[in-house]
PDB file of all heavy atoms in Angstrom:
ATOM      1  N   MET A 381     -32.378  -5.701  -0.763  1.00 98.00           N
ATOM      2  CA  MET A 381     -33.447  -4.908  -1.381  1.00 98.00           C
ATOM      3  C   MET A 381     -33.069  -4.715  -2.848  1.00 98.00           C
ATOM      4  O   MET A 381     -31.931  -4.382  -3.161  1.00 98.00           O
ATOM      5  CB  MET A 381     -33.564  -3.543  -0.701  1.00 98.00           C
ATOM      6  CG  MET A 381     -34.553  -2.630  -1.379  1.00 98.00           C
ATOM      7  SD  MET A 381     -34.986  -1.112  -0.520  1.00 98.00           S
ATOM      8  CE  MET A 381     -33.516  -0.568   0.230  1.00 98.00           C
ATOM      9  N   PHE A 382     -34.030  -4.958  -3.737  1.00 98.00           N
ATOM     10  CA  PHE A 382     -33.802  -4.756  -5.170  1.00 98.00           C
ATOM     11  C   PHE A 382     -34.402  -3.435  -5.601  1.00 98.00           C
ATOM     12  O   PHE A 382     -35.457  -3.039  -5.096  1.00 98.00           O
ATOM     13  CB  PHE A 382     -34.468  -5.881  -5.983  1.00 98.00           C
ATOM     14  CG  PHE A 382     -33.607  -7.099  -6.169  1.00 98.00           C
ATOM     15  CD1 PHE A 382     -34.177  -8.286  -6.658  1.00 98.00           C
ATOM     16  CD2 PHE A 382     -32.252  -7.116  -5.894  1.00 98.00           C
ATOM     17  CE1 PHE A 382     -33.402  -9.434  -6.859  1.00 98.00           C
ATOM     18  CE2 PHE A 382     -31.478  -8.253  -6.079  1.00 98.00           C
ATOM     19  CZ  PHE A 382     -32.058  -9.393  -6.569  1.00 98.00           C
ATOM     20  N   VAL A 383     -33.719  -2.827  -6.571  1.00 98.00           N
ATOM     21  CA  VAL A 383     -34.296  -1.639  -7.206  1.00 98.00           C
ATOM     22  C   VAL A 383     -34.472  -1.937  -8.691  1.00 98.00           C
ATOM     23  O   VAL A 383     -33.662  -2.617  -9.319  1.00 98.00           O
ATOM     24  CB  VAL A 383     -33.405  -0.388  -6.960  1.00 98.00           C
ATOM     25  CG1 VAL A 383     -32.007  -0.545  -7.448  1.00 98.00           C
ATOM     26  CG2 VAL A 383     -34.052   0.847  -7.547  1.00 98.00           C
ATOM     27  N   ARG A 384     -35.581  -1.447  -9.216  1.00 98.00           N
ATOM     28  CA  ARG A 384     -35.972  -1.675 -10.617  1.00 98.00           C
ATOM     29  C   ARG A 384     -34.851  -1.247 -11.558  1.00 98.00           C
ATOM     30  O   ARG A 384     -34.208  -0.228 -11.325  1.00 98.00           O
ATOM     31  CB  ARG A 384     -37.219  -0.842 -10.863  1.00 98.00           C
ATOM     32  CG  ARG A 384     -37.719  -0.667 -12.238  1.00 98.00           C
ATOM     33  CD  ARG A 384     -39.076   0.032 -12.259  1.00 98.00           C
ATOM     34  NE  ARG A 384     -39.121   1.296 -11.529  1.00 98.00           N
ATOM     35  CZ  ARG A 384     -40.245   1.972 -11.261  1.00 98.00           C
ATOM     36  NH1 ARG A 384     -41.409   1.469 -11.634  1.00 98.00           N
ATOM     37  NH2 ARG A 384     -40.220   3.103 -10.597  1.00 98.00           N
ATOM     38  N   CYS A 385     -34.616  -2.018 -12.603  1.00 98.00           N
ATOM     39  CA  CYS A 385     -33.648  -1.557 -13.611  1.00 98.00           C
ATOM     40  C   CYS A 385     -34.282  -1.707 -14.987  1.00 98.00           C
ATOM     41  O   CYS A 385     -35.099  -2.592 -15.221  1.00 98.00           O
ATOM     42  CB  CYS A 385     -32.315  -2.292 -13.485  1.00 98.00           C
ATOM     43  SG  CYS A 385     -32.375  -4.047 -13.721  1.00 98.00           S
ATOM     44  N   LYS A 386     -33.877  -0.863 -15.889  1.00 98.00           N
ATOM     45  CA  LYS A 386     -34.531  -0.714 -17.202  1.00 98.00           C
ATOM     46  C   LYS A 386     -34.445  -2.001 -18.020  1.00 98.00           C
ATOM     47  O   LYS A 386     -33.346  -2.492 -18.296  1.00 98.00           O
ATOM     48  CB  LYS A 386     -33.856   0.445 -17.958  1.00 98.00           C
ATOM     49  CG  LYS A 386     -34.554   0.898 -19.227  1.00 98.00           C
ATOM     50  CD  LYS A 386     -34.078   2.337 -19.574  1.00 98.00           C
ATOM     51  CE  LYS A 386     -34.459   2.669 -21.008  1.00 98.00           C
ATOM     52  NZ  LYS A 386     -33.419   2.169 -21.973  1.00 98.00           N
ATOM     53  N   GLY A 387     -35.616  -2.548 -18.330  1.00 97.00           N
ATOM     54  CA  GLY A 387     -35.660  -3.762 -19.151  1.00 97.00           C
ATOM     55  C   GLY A 387     -35.060  -4.967 -18.455  1.00 97.00           C
ATOM     56  O   GLY A 387     -34.879  -6.015 -19.071  1.00 97.00           O
ATOM     57  N   GLY A 388     -34.704  -4.826 -17.194  1.00 96.00           N
ATOM     58  CA  GLY A 388     -34.081  -5.954 -16.482  1.00 96.00           C
ATOM     59  C   GLY A 388     -32.680  -6.247 -16.997  1.00 96.00           C
ATOM     60  O   GLY A 388     -32.071  -7.257 -16.675  1.00 96.00           O
ATOM     61  N   ILE A 389     -32.146  -5.294 -17.771  1.00 97.00           N
ATOM     62  CA  ILE A 389     -30.842  -5.533 -18.417  1.00 97.00           C
ATOM     63  C   ILE A 389     -29.700  -5.375 -17.407  1.00 97.00           C
ATOM     64  O   ILE A 389     -29.684  -4.411 -16.621  1.00 97.00           O
ATOM     65  CB  ILE A 389     -30.644  -4.534 -19.586  1.00 97.00           C
ATOM     66  CG1 ILE A 389     -31.693  -4.779 -20.671  1.00 97.00           C
ATOM     67  CG2 ILE A 389     -29.237  -4.642 -20.171  1.00 97.00           C
ATOM     68  CD1 ILE A 389     -31.733  -3.684 -21.727  1.00 97.00           C
ATOM     69  N   SER A 390     -28.758  -6.295 -17.428  1.00 97.00           N
ATOM     70  CA  SER A 390     -27.571  -6.188 -16.571  1.00 97.00           C
ATOM     71  C   SER A 390     -26.432  -6.994 -17.202  1.00 97.00           C
ATOM     72  O   SER A 390     -26.640  -7.720 -18.178  1.00 97.00           O
ATOM     73  CB  SER A 390     -27.878  -6.728 -15.177  1.00 97.00           C
ATOM     74  OG  SER A 390     -26.747  -6.556 -14.340  1.00 97.00           O
ATOM     75  N   HIS A 391     -25.229  -6.788 -16.645  1.00 97.00           N
ATOM     76  CA  HIS A 391     -24.028  -7.399 -17.252  1.00 97.00           C
ATOM     77  C   HIS A 391     -23.951  -6.976 -18.718  1.00 97.00           C
ATOM     78  O   HIS A 391     -23.636  -7.735 -19.599  1.00 97.00           O
ATOM     79  CB  HIS A 391     -24.024  -8.928 -17.126  1.00 97.00           C
ATOM     80  CG  HIS A 391     -23.701  -9.383 -15.740  1.00 97.00           C
ATOM     81  ND1 HIS A 391     -23.439 -10.683 -15.390  1.00 97.00           N
ATOM     82  CD2 HIS A 391     -23.609  -8.689 -14.581  1.00 97.00           C
ATOM     83  CE1 HIS A 391     -23.178 -10.775 -14.093  1.00 97.00           C
ATOM     84  NE2 HIS A 391     -23.287  -9.568 -13.580  1.00 97.00           N
ATOM     85  N   ASN A 392     -24.237  -5.662 -18.891  1.00 97.00           N
ATOM     86  CA  ASN A 392     -24.393  -5.082 -20.239  1.00 97.00           C
ATOM     87  C   ASN A 392     -24.316  -3.565 -20.063  1.00 97.00           C
ATOM     88  O   ASN A 392     -24.917  -3.020 -19.134  1.00 97.00           O
ATOM     89  CB  ASN A 392     -25.780  -5.494 -20.763  1.00 97.00           C
ATOM     90  CG  ASN A 392     -26.115  -4.908 -22.100  1.00 97.00           C
ATOM     91  OD1 ASN A 392     -25.791  -3.752 -22.384  1.00 97.00           O
ATOM     92  ND2 ASN A 392     -26.747  -5.698 -22.938  1.00 97.00           N
TER      93      ASN A 392
END
Side-chain angles (χ1 to χ4, degrees):
M381 174 170 37
F382 273 168
V383 58
R384 169 172 53 190
C385 61
K386 190 160 165 275
I389 296 169
S390 183
H391 285 190
N392 177 321

